[in-house]
Amino acid sequence: MVIKALMSDEDRPTERPDTIIPEPGSVWIHFKGRRYKVVGTARHSETGELMVVYEPLYENPWPLCVRPIWMWSDHVEREGYSGPRFRLEKP
């Protein structure tokens, strides 16, 4: 598969119609228990892939992190857990 540098929304390989785009400022819990605050979303400059920009809410050597949207909203089956990689923290 060849990924074009500039892609239309319909051609993006990593975004599904059911993909949840996290709101800036929302807090999410990773399936391993750590909390993260969403800064916003961004596009990869060469592939156009949608990324989530987020801030760990614990001591971490990286003040900001990014993850592809497909990975953010992915379903995980690991170590006896089956569910979303991230879940929205209830207010």
Side-chain angles (χ1 to χ4, degrees):
M1 176 178 184
V2 176
I3 298 180
K4 298 177 275 183
L6 296 174
M7 301 173 72
S8 70
D9 286 338
E10 296 82 33
D11 292 333
R12 295 191 198 289
T14 58
E15 295 170 49
R16 303 180 310 256
D18 62 339
T19 298
I20 296 171
I21 309 298
E23 291 290 324
S26 60
V27 176
W28 293 71
I29 303 170
H30 187 267
F31 80 96
K32 292 183 179 178
R34 301 267 186 154
R35 296 171 66 239
Y36 299 88
K37 183 168 141 183
V38 172
V39 175
T41 57
R43 293 273 180 196
H44 188 287
S45 64
E46 294 188 20
T47 66
E49 183 176 19
L50 185 61
M51 312 288 266
V52 178
V53 181
Y54 61 100
E55 172 186 8
L57 296 178
Y58 58 91
E59 190 170 324
N60 187 310
W62 303 286
L64 291 177
C65 302
V66 296
R67 185 180 295 255
I69 191 71
W70 68 266
M71 190 180 282
W72 182 272
S73 55
D74 200 19
H75 183 87
V76 175
E77 292 192 23
R78 192 178 306 156
E79 302 165 8
Y81 173 80
S82 179
R85 183 179 305 273
F86 289 92
R87 62 184 167 81
L88 182 60
E89 182 176 85
K90 302 294 180 198

